[in-house]
Amino acid sequence: GGGGGVDPHAALLRRHRVYPYQLQLKYPDGLMELIPITEGLADNIVDPYLPNHQTPTGLPARTPMTVAIVMDLPLAGWDPRADVSQGREALPVPCINTVDDELPPTTFTYIPECVAFTKMPDMVFEEVCCGCAPEGADEDPDKSRFVNRKGYRADDGSVRCLGCNLEAIDYSKFCAECSAKCPCDPNTCTNRHYSPGIQYRVAVRKTTDKGWELAAQEAIPSGQYVLEYVGEVVTHGDVQCRVQRNEHMGLLNYVLEMVTPDDNSDSWKYPCVDSLHMGNASRFINHSCRPNMDVKVVFRGSMANTVPVLGFFTNRDVAANEALTFSYGPHYEDMACRCGQPGCRGTITDVQEDQPMDGGNAPR
């Protein structure tokens, strides 16, 4: 070979272009999905998950009937600097590093939607929907407007949902959206804001003191849904075991709880999302004592068919190139906070109990 230094781009491709493993997931509806994974992740998955064959339950739409590992070369042309998501998002997620020579983070497998490899326990949650009909529609004296008890015919002729189980929404402070079981027309419904995938252009960016972060690449108005927290759906009982194992291995916590555990004997069944090994761009969102996003639990119909969505919503206008942040909550690991915001509390765990979510993911 010739002389000269090592080409960083060539080294990057050598490190990442040969991923000889793919997870082959087969779902109840016949869909088959291939997810490129690293050799280390393949080793971690073989023992706990394979061979895997199970009946659909808990999260049928995203619970594979079978899981297998196949050999292939799926990422031969992939450059993680151009798109960390491997082309799996409609909007590319570039990786920007103007700080040092560290290569893009590829120690995890990118997935755009949550997946449940292990059998989720059956749970019974009442359906929730805050409705899309005008306020006070349920008190309209014109009884001809009402359709199937839960529907309301608006002035434009469209049928709107009147909502159900509103007491549960007020009590739990969850968000709720209309679902396929609502009588309203999806084309005119005003209560269907969730869309899969990243909704605004973002980038993974290296910082001088907080590792990697997620930054907005365009201005995002206040109150907007930005993206979902994506990872592996596991039970709260599984999370307790994983946290202990990860602490022993020196790994940080990447878990968010969908339903906050309580004293209920069935609380071990509650679903959580773990993005340590599999996740989307949201796993790079760092903590801040004055965050510009809140995490909201969005129910979409019955828990019998789908788990809630952990959505990130802006709580103020966010400028282009500004880091996206949220509060990790009071139960995260006891570690120093480097958010740099006025009034920073100094530690991540020194927050109030009424923060939007318990737990959280990890600073890089």
Side-chain angles (χ1 to χ4, degrees):
V6 177
D7 179 4
H9 188 218
L12 181 69
L13 292 180
R14 281 198 299 271
R15 174 180 170 184
H16 300 298
R17 76 178 299 164
V18 180
Y19 275 31
Y21 300 96
Q22 290 190 90
L23 274 184
Q24 183 186 77
L25 312 178
K26 294 183 179 179
Y27 295 94
D29 59 2
L31 175 68
M32 185 178 72
E33 181 178 15
L34 292 174
I35 301 177
I37 59 175
T38 64
E39 182 176 2
L41 189 55
D43 292 338
N44 291 334
I45 286 177
V46 169
D47 288 337
Y49 299 135
L50 301 178
N52 184 320
H53 182 81
Q54 60 188 11
T55 56
T57 182
L59 185 59
R62 293 296 298 168
T63 303
M65 294 288 289
T66 61
V67 178
I69 289 182
V70 296
M71 304 290 289
D72 204 345
L73 301 176
L75 302 179
W78 174 51
D79 185 348
R81 297 176 304 179
D83 185 9
V84 173
S85 78
Q86 305 167 3
R88 307 196 75 193
E89 298 282 5
L91 300 174
V93 183
C95 183
I96 302 171
N97 184 358
T98 60
V99 175
D100 54 31
D101 295 329
E102 183 177 352
L103 296 176
T106 55
T107 56
F108 73 104
T109 291
Y110 198 102
I111 55 174
E113 294 182 81
C114 286
V115 64
F117 289 110
T118 54
K119 192 173 186 178
M120 296 293 293
D122 292 323
M123 300 187 68
V124 178
F125 280 83
E126 290 186 83
E127 291 191 38
V128 291
C129 170
C130 60
C132 61
E135 185 176 356
D138 56 340
E139 300 175 358
D140 193 320
D142 184 0
K143 301 303 180 183
S144 65
R145 287 181 177 265
F146 295 93
V147 180
N148 297 331
R149 195 165 60 99
K150 291 294 183 183
Y152 176 82
R153 195 175 304 280
D155 292 336
D156 60 3
S158 62
V159 175
R160 303 299 182 91
C161 181
L162 285 173
C164 61
N165 203 13
L166 302 183
E167 296 82 3
I169 298 174
D170 293 338
Y171 172 77
S172 61
K173 298 182 181 179
F174 289 133
C175 297
E177 295 200 351
C178 292
S179 69
K181 292 190 175 182
C182 294
C184 49
D185 183 351
N187 296 318
T188 58
C189 175
T190 58
N191 186 40
R192 299 177 190 237
H193 306 290
Y194 167 78
S195 295
I198 300 174
Q199 305 301 300
Y200 291 86
R201 294 189 179 278
V202 298
V204 176
R205 187 171 65 187
K206 187 65 185 296
T207 70
T208 57
D209 60 348
K210 295 186 290 292
W212 299 97
E213 68 181 6
L214 192 67
Q217 293 293 93
E218 60 181 314
I220 307 176
S222 177
Q224 296 301 300
Y225 167 68
V226 181
L227 76 168
E228 175 184 355
Y229 193 74
V230 168
E232 181 189 351
V233 179
V234 294
T235 65
H236 187 261
D238 289 333
V239 165
Q240 302 307 306
C241 298
R242 292 186 179 205
V243 168
Q244 293 184 22
R245 180 189 63 193
N246 292 342
E247 287 180 353
H248 179 72
M249 298 174 63
L251 301 174
L252 294 174
N253 174 24
Y254 283 76
V255 174
L256 277 181
E257 296 161 345
M258 290 180 172
V259 182
T260 303
D262 49 32
D263 294 332
N264 189 314
S265 60
D266 286 337
S267 63
W268 68 271
K269 298 180 180 179
Y270 290 172
C272 304
V273 178
D274 185 358
S275 68
L276 175 60
H277 296 299
M278 292 187 173
N280 68 347
S282 66
R283 71 192 301 279
F284 295 102
I285 302 174
N286 278 329
H287 166 85
S288 175
C289 295
R290 298 182 66 181
N292 52 27
M293 295 196 300
D294 296 325
V295 183
K296 297 183 180 180
V297 182
V298 183
F299 277 87
R300 297 168 294 148
S302 172
M303 281 280 289
N305 299 312
T306 177
V307 295
V309 169
L310 291 175
F312 288 96
F313 293 79
T314 53
N315 56 34
R316 61 171 174 80
D317 291 341
V318 176
N321 297 318
E322 182 178 353
L324 296 169
T325 58
F326 79 107
S327 172
Y328 284 8
H331 302 303
Y332 192 70
E333 301 173 31
D334 187 11
M335 57 193 307
C337 177
R338 299 188 181 94
C339 71
Q341 291 291 328
C344 173
R345 290 177 286 264
T347 61
I348 291 179
T349 54
D350 186 19
V351 297
Q352 302 299 315
E353 290 286 343
D354 59 354
Q355 290 292 332
M357 289 294 298
D358 295 333
N361 75 334
R364 252 53 65 200

